[in-house]
Amino acid sequence: MAELPVPELPPTLSRCSGRFTISTLLGMEEGGRGPYAPAEGAGCDGTHLSGSTLCTRTFGYNTVDVVPAYEHYANSNGVGDGRRGRPSLADLHSILKPDTGHLRPPLSEPQRSNGVPEAGPEEAPEEPGRAPTPEPVRFGWVKGVMIRCMLNIWGVILYLRLPWITAQAGIALTWLIILMSVTVTTITGLSISAISTNGKVKSGGTYFLISRSLGPELGGSIGLIFAFANAVAVAMHTVGFAETVRDLLQEHNSLIVDPTNDIRIIGVVTVTVLLGISLAGMEWEAKAQILFFLVILVSFINYLVGTVIPATAEKQAKGFFSYRAEIFAQNFVPNWRGPEGSFFGLFSIFFPSATGILAGANISGDLKDPAVAIPKGTLMAIFWTTMSYLVLSATIGACVVRDASGSLNDSVAVGSPGCEGLACGFGWNFTACAQRQSCRYGLSNYYQSMSMVSGFGPLITAGIFGATLSSALACLVSAPKVFQCLCRDQLYPLIGFFGKGYGRNSEPIRGYMLTYVIAVGFILIAELNAIAPIISNFFLCSYALINFSCFHASITNSPGWRPSFRYYSKWAALFGAAVSVVIMFLLTWWAALIAFGIVIFLLGYVLYKKPDVNWGSSMQASSYNMALNYSVGLSEVEEHIKNYRPQCLVLTGPPNFRPALVDFVGTFTKNLSLMLCGNVLIGPQKQKMPESRLTADGHIKWLMKRKIKAFYTDVVAEDLRSGVQMLIQAAGLGKMRPNILALGYKRNWRTVSPQSLEDYVGILHDAFDFKYGVCLMRMKEGLNVSRVMQAHVNPTFEAAEHPEENGTGSRAAPGTAADPAALAGEQQTSTIFQSEQGKKTIDIYWLFDDGGLTLLIPYLLGRKKRWAKCKIRVFVGGQINRMDEERKAIVSLLSKFRLGFHEVHILPDINQKPRPEHIRRFEDLIAPFRLNDGFKDEATVNEMRQGCPWKISDEEVNKNRAKSLRQVRLNEILLDYSRDAALIAITLPIGRKGRCPSSLYMAWLETLSQDLRPPVILTRGNQENVLTFYCQ
């Protein structure tokens, strides 16, 4: 731990007792308040120890270290986020200075996913002099989740369709249908439980769980359709209630207008009342839900009591005979009738009644402890509703026969002749209507069988009202809550208006009004049979994604996946996801296709927009896993020439300083091979490390904004060459290591310090030593645009302040070590490699066989759209008397390489002597670097050259004269043939290490590429094949 000297303490600051020493650390001259001083009123009684280093309980000595505390981890997003009061590594490791400027504030403002503070009820700061905000209403697991889910699961199907399903499928298969449906919902419930206990859950419900697990792409799409589905579900449940009321009015001949308009009137009035309950606050909404819950419980009890009451003659005529073993036995087996009389037909009808398990999770922001309430409440709701379904199907199947006439005249003596069917044994003859299939009563024909069996029929009607209204109210609350969270995340345009919250619970009033408008719109249609299957599929989409979220988070093995709920299985979750998709198509295949189409469209939009959010999703973990596995697997793959890829280490310096070099390499490596932008920061490590940390993210964002698929890395070194040596040796991972060093041409080699010149040429030698290919780029206007950039920042900046005019970017211009936000936001510089090249030529001067790299790079460039119209010409040296033979040989070789280069030119005059004025220009070029030793012996020359190895001896000039003249002659040829080319690619000449001074070598490169308007690429492979014409 970082110890500090113990200063003398004023008596007022020695406020702690016990064996632990607590003292002020810094800033004693400012009233005892140092950079880590606590807020006013913070004591040292043990409750505030963890939040302050002024009052830190330690092991008997003073330290700026703090003990673990909740505040240090709250609202943490990215790796390494410093949190409330915890000292940074620099504070512990480096010399501590009493400077509060570099320390983080002790309290970090809560951040939303996109960096905008979320004005939620939990996080809203209190203004001084203002009354404290009242505590928001929070619910426990019973009131907030279990009751809410049970009410949403129970619906009209329970009352009106389950008896009919029992008659069709029999008790045994009905139980199988129930258990199959519950299996899916239980697995989903376990997945919800796992996700909701893997960290703090905020408002947003299903959307929040999916988006924070799978990322904004899938989360955003499912959140939008889930909110819309809930809004339309309000209309569905309200219309169900309105139809029941309309039917009652019809029975008493009391219609308001006509059957259709009555549904509209009753529906609009009902949804308006429900909106009023919702706007009154969550507390009133919860009270209404409890009232509906009690009504449904009373209706259940009423039904169960009715099954044991002896049947009256009226009820017997309708098929009810109390509990009879014979009835149970007959109804135990199926009796399929009608077009829907099949197992999966009935399953598709029943399954929607098992849904609704997300009602509790959807109000996650209003729960006291969502991590406890959601798992416990959801699973208990599934258990009790399943029990109610099983009990209901078994009891009504044991009491009521399938067919009954309802006529009191059909009573007969037991054992009467001509009577067929089970009812004959109970004194009733329903044979006639059963044979004609005209019976109006019985389980198979009468939907209101529960009302008939019950002790008091109107209570069942009240139960239907309670089930429909409670479901409508739950959806009316769920839709705005989910939509509010989606709006605050700003994944889609034009919806941010609805994200504002009001009151202590941050109620989405605007969301309520939008949901109300949608619900009223669909109520006015008054016919929801077409939209209902789509809504069911939207809910099933949510189930599938929740299960997939749980599976995906588990399979990625992310250390951040640590749910406290352990009773789940990743394979069960995957099974639940697959079954949910299958059920979607079983219910309504066309609705499933519509749901998938909408999800894919919304997913594509978010993928295109790439919102700036970082939620630590399992997709991020999966990307890492895949990259790691493939990288490790790649190490086992043996290299082959056919799979050769030019993997480039590009010495860009700050990438935004040399955009042309970045664009050139990025063009032929995009979606093909590795590109790594390297930057050498020259200077003391202590001084340059903070700069490296500060700018790295900005350079990466700049590359991403320019759509360059590349990595960025930097090293701190004492000089340029040693830094490049580090990059060459350490860059890459496994088989994904650079094999080409790409850099810019050093235009100012004649004016820079001799050591800088020596380092530059030494870098080329180092690359060859490490078996790298070299790609050197020269442009007439130069590569480094930092001077242009600096002119906007500091008009007094001049060339003398920028010592490195080369492709390595070893030193940034003063004032341009921009912060990440400025780097990413700066205007992008346009280069020739970003524009359409038209019908120009790419001229390749393949002068020496380097393994084929000189051919491969222009070929890859020519495959890109912007260069596709360019004609590629290949120039090779040859003898004038063998031109045809040599041309045919090169054409044959190129055709075997399948490069598509058909225009080949032989240069017979390559060895001619250049023009005298060009020779004189070359001699003038090297004159300042000559030793002028008068052809002395080698020992004398070495002694004269002591300390200046770049000097050229007369002997070296003489020995390399032919090679020097070759470069002069080649430049003449380039000017003759390629003056108007789009790009010139030449084989890079090599100077022998220790025999060719750096100044002479640079003079060759200068002479070879001078006065050329197109970009010149000097390329040299490592003399190993990169092209082959064999297929194995």
Side-chain angles (χ1 to χ4, degrees), residues 232-380:
V232 179
V234 175
M236 287 178 57
H237 295 301
T238 305
V239 167
F241 167 77
E243 285 180 348
T244 308
V245 175
R246 190 270 318 265
D247 291 345
L248 288 174
L249 292 175
Q250 270 186 321
E251 285 182 17
H252 297 87
N253 295 318
S254 302
L255 286 175
I256 304 172
V257 183
D258 57 65
T260 303
N261 284 315
D262 280 11
I263 291 176
R264 291 171 178 154
I265 294 168
I266 297 167
V268 171
V269 171
T270 304
V271 80
T272 305
V273 172
L274 294 179
L275 176 67
I277 295 172
S278 301
L279 293 177
M282 289 298 296
E283 199 168 0
W284 284 96
E285 187 268 348
K287 289 176 181 177
Q289 293 286 31
I290 289 175
L291 176 63
F292 292 140
F293 183 71
L294 292 175
V295 168
I296 293 174
L297 283 184
V298 168
S299 71
F300 276 164
I301 294 169
N302 171 52
Y303 159 75
L304 291 174
V305 169
T307 59
V308 296
I309 295 176
T312 62
E314 278 187 5
K315 288 188 176 182
Q316 286 184 353
K318 293 178 180 180
F320 172 60
F321 297 100
S322 294
Y323 290 107
R324 302 290 179 112
E326 300 94 328
I327 297 177
F328 182 85
Q330 188 185 56
N331 288 338
F332 190 78
V333 294
N335 181 19
W336 310 111
R337 298 183 186 181
E340 295 168 332
S342 65
F343 181 82
F344 285 110
L346 296 179
F347 177 83
S348 65
I349 292 172
F350 174 80
F351 184 80
S353 68
T355 60
I357 61 171
L358 301 177
N362 285 339
I363 62 159
S364 54
D366 297 295
L367 302 175
K368 290 178 183 175
D369 187 355
V372 173
I374 292 175
K376 199 171 181 180
T378 304
L379 294 176
M380 288 299 289

Side-chain angles (χ1 to χ4, degrees), residues 35-39 42-57 64-72 83-87 105-107:
Y36 291 101
C44 300
D45 55 359
T47 59
H48 296 85
L49 289 176
S50 60
S52 168
T53 51
L54 176 64
C55 302
T56 302
R57 186 171 66 182
V64 296
D65 257 341
V66 294
V67 294
Y70 170 84
E71 291 83 2
H72 302 158
R83 288 300 166 205
R84 309 178 176 182
R86 180 197 294 152
L107 293 176

Side-chain angles (χ1 to χ4, degrees), residues 733-959:
L733 182 68
K735 290 292 177 68
M736 292 185 65
R737 296 177 61 85
N739 49 29
I740 296 173
L741 182 71
L743 70 165
Y745 176 72
K746 192 175 185 67
R747 296 175 68 208
N748 61 345
W749 63 274
R750 285 170 285 180
T751 57
V752 295
S753 65
Q755 186 57 49
S756 177
L757 171 60
E758 194 73 11
D759 283 350
Y760 181 76
V761 177
I763 288 170
L764 302 180
H765 289 307
D766 293 336
F768 292 132
D769 287 341
F770 288 109
K771 300 201 73 176
Y772 271 57
V774 171
C775 186
L776 194 149
M777 181 178 179
R778 180 175 187 180
M779 295 183 69
K780 187 175 182 179
E781 62 274 17
L783 291 173
N784 197 325
V785 298
S786 61
R787 188 178 296 103
V788 180
M789 295 166 55
Q790 180 63 20
H792 297 283
V793 181
N794 178 11
T796 63
F797 174 76
E798 296 181 3
E801 293 178 66
H802 190 73
E804 297 295 341
E805 182 66 41
N806 56 48
T808 60
S810 57
R811 193 172 289 130
T816 57
D819 78 300
L823 277 173
E826 74 176 31
Q827 186 176 358
Q828 297 279 346
T829 307
S830 179
T831 69
I832 186 175
F833 297 98
Q834 292 181 314
S835 58
E836 197 80 26
Q837 295 304 309
K839 296 183 178 181
K840 298 181 182 178
T841 62
I842 298 175
D843 290 350
I844 305 172
Y845 289 82
W846 195 25
L847 305 177
F848 308 102
D849 190 353
D850 61 345
L853 188 63
T854 307
L855 294 173
L856 182 62
I857 290 177
Y859 165 74
L860 296 174
L861 198 66
R863 293 203 306 181
K864 302 302 179 180
K865 184 178 179 181
R866 289 171 180 154
W867 296 79
K869 294 180 182 178
C870 291
K871 182 169 63 174
I872 298 179
R873 303 188 298 178
V874 180
F875 296 84
V876 294
Q879 299 175 18
I880 193 166
N881 55 349
R882 299 185 67 248
M883 284 181 60
D884 289 341
E885 293 85 347
E886 290 181 352
R887 186 183 180 280
K888 287 178 182 177
I890 294 297
V891 168
S892 174
L893 179 61
L894 293 177
S895 66
K896 287 184 169 66
F897 287 147
R898 306 172 307 283
L899 296 173
F901 302 165
H902 301 299
E903 188 168 339
V904 176
H905 297 269
I906 305 298
L907 303 173
D909 53 352
I910 195 169
N911 293 318
Q912 286 182 5
K913 189 174 181 180
R915 292 196 285 271
E917 62 270 23
H918 293 157
I919 297 174
R920 281 197 302 273
R921 184 170 63 174
F922 175 77
E923 290 174 348
D924 292 341
L925 187 63
I926 64 172
F929 301 97
R930 293 191 63 167
L931 200 57
N932 295 318
D933 56 291
F935 294 96
K936 292 184 174 61
D937 60 90
E938 189 173 348
T940 307
V941 169
N942 288 338
E943 188 177 342
M944 292 176 66
R945 197 154 51 183
Q946 191 69 30
C948 48
W950 54 86
K951 288 286 189 178
I952 312 169
S953 70
D954 293 345
E955 182 65 27
E956 286 166 338
V957 172
N958 190 49
K959 281 184 178 179

Side-chain angles (χ1 to χ4, degrees), residues 122-123 138 192-210 212 360-372 374-375 485:
E122 298 174 306
E123 297 87 355
R138 295 284 185 259
I192 292 173
S193 302
I195 297 171
S196 62
T197 58
N198 188 53
K200 186 178 179 181
V201 177
K202 296 184 180 180
S203 61
T206 306
Y207 161 71
F208 184 89
L209 296 177
I210 295 177
R212 269 51 174 183
N362 285 339
I363 62 159
S364 54
D366 297 295
L367 302 175
K368 290 178 183 175
D369 187 355
V372 173
I374 292 175
C485 184

Side-chain angles (χ1 to χ4, degrees), residues 745 747 749-750 778-782 915 917-919 921-922 925 967-968 970-981 984 986 1003-1016:
Y745 176 72
R747 296 175 68 208
W749 63 274
R750 285 170 285 180
R778 180 175 187 180
M779 295 183 69
K780 187 175 182 179
E781 62 274 17
R915 292 196 285 271
E917 62 270 23
H918 293 157
I919 297 174
R921 184 170 63 174
F922 175 77
L925 187 63
Q967 313 313 319
V968 179
L970 281 173
N971 180 253
E972 294 175 350
I973 292 173
L974 292 173
L975 289 169
D976 288 341
Y977 288 94
S978 303
R979 190 182 297 273
D980 298 320
I984 301 173
I986 319 172
W1004 289 350
L1005 301 186
E1006 177 72 26
T1007 301
L1008 177 62
S1009 57
Q1010 66 187 353
D1011 300 331
L1012 292 169
R1013 186 195 59 78
V1016 179

